[in-house]
Amino acid sequence: MIKIILGFIAGILVVPGAGYVMMPHMMFNETVSPFGFEETIAMNDKFVTKKDEEFKWGWGLQDDRFFKKVFAHLDGKRKPGQPIFCALATISNHMNFKDVPEKLRTIYPEPKNYREHYVNSIHAADSFLKAFFDELEHREDLRNSLVLLFGDHGYPTGQHDFTSNEVSFYDENFRVPLLVVGAKVEPFTNTTIAYSQLDLAPALLEWLGLT
């Protein structure tokens, strides 16, 4: 099984997949590599080229462009049908919400406050997921993948007078979404049971029949 990583902050896990984490900090490779990933890719000049300039804003590469580059990279790394574990970390919805380009401010074309900037950012990130699933669908041997989408932390947008996730301790700081997509996943909605990212590893093992 190939294991690779690309990205930053919010996560997408694909099983079968290859593990990737793309980050704007070079130290990230040194941090992740010892944890069993065969390849880590930082969001640096080797991955983000001059052709990607128009898709760079905020902290890095726009998510839909990122997804397309990741799948193109994977095509050159794996053999058809080869199992892979892939971890992607996206950046379009991560702080600096005011940096969302005007053409992507579809909910609030002229945002008036922090929350409206945030809403534009998260709506753009959600819309970019279409590119991810389109790329997945185009590869027949990956259509049976198990996909997990989740956030690493919440973000206050004015609740309790806070607009930073580093200085308060309310629900909006810690609540994150978790969406599991896969052929063998039974429909289930949870809004009351507490869980955390620590539960992802054992859940994956159970879903994959490895427990």
Side-chain angles (χ1 to χ4, degrees), residues 1 4 12 36 42 45 67-68 76-77 80 83 90 97 104 112 127 176 178 202 207:
M1 175 180 288
I4 312 172
I12 296 179
D45 292 340
F67 294 143
K68 293 176 182 178
K77 294 290 296 186
T90 58
F97 305 121
L104 296 176
K112 299 178 178 60
S127 67
V176 296
L178 170 64
W207 277 319

Side-chain angles (χ1 to χ4, degrees), residues 3-207:
K3 294 173 289 183
I4 312 172
I5 293 195
L6 297 112
F8 190 74
I9 301 308
I12 296 179
L13 296 181
V14 186
V15 183
Y20 283 89
V21 180
M22 302 275 315
M23 296 193 66
H25 306 297
M26 293 303 294
M27 288 181 62
F28 189 74
N29 282 1
E30 298 175 5
T31 303
V32 174
S33 295
F35 291 94
F37 284 95
E38 296 173 12
E39 181 180 9
T40 62
I41 299 180
M43 197 175 291
N44 54 33
D45 292 340
K46 292 182 179 180
F47 189 84
V48 182
T49 66
K50 292 183 178 180
K51 293 182 179 180
D52 300 313
E53 286 297 321
E54 65 177 298
F55 301 99
K56 290 171 59 178
W57 50 271
W59 279 28
L61 191 61
Q62 187 171 295
D63 291 356
D64 56 345
R65 183 76 170 185
F66 171 64
F67 294 143
K68 293 176 182 178
K69 291 178 71 72
V70 166
F71 276 95
H73 181 80
L74 287 176
D75 288 341
K77 294 290 296 186
R78 69 183 191 89
K79 299 177 182 179
Q82 182 179 16
I84 51 175
F85 177 89
C86 183
L88 313 183
T90 58
I91 196 66
S92 290
N93 178 236
H94 186 263
M95 300 178 66
N96 298 337
F97 305 121
K98 294 182 179 180
D99 290 343
V100 175
E102 290 186 10
K103 64 181 179 180
L104 296 176
R105 298 175 185 175
T106 54
I107 303 299
Y108 296 102
E110 298 181 2
K112 299 178 178 60
N113 53 49
Y114 193 89
R115 180 182 178 280
E116 292 183 0
H117 281 291
Y118 176 83
V119 170
N120 282 334
S121 172
I122 202 165
H123 182 266
D126 284 351
S127 67
F128 294 148
L129 288 172
K130 181 180 185 302
F132 173 84
F133 285 103
D134 283 347
E135 293 292 329
L136 198 67
E137 180 65 22
H138 290 161
R139 293 158 177 82
E140 186 173 355
D141 64 322
L142 292 181
R143 291 178 185 172
N144 67 337
S145 294
L146 177 63
V147 181
L148 278 68
L149 299 97
F150 56 93
D152 61 335
H153 57 76
Y155 214 100
T157 58
Q159 302 93 326
H160 300 97
D161 296 323
F162 289 109
T163 56
S164 172
N165 69 313
E166 298 177 348
V167 294
S168 61
F169 46 83
Y170 296 100
D171 278 358
E172 56 267 22
N173 287 64
F174 304 106
R175 286 183 177 272
V176 296
L178 170 64
L179 178 65
V180 182
V181 181
K184 297 182 180 180
V185 178
E186 297 181 3
F188 174 74
T189 301
N190 169 43
T191 58
T192 58
I193 303 172
Y195 62 87
S196 78
Q197 292 92 334
L198 294 176
D199 298 309
L200 292 177
L204 275 173
L205 293 176
E206 182 177 345
W207 277 319

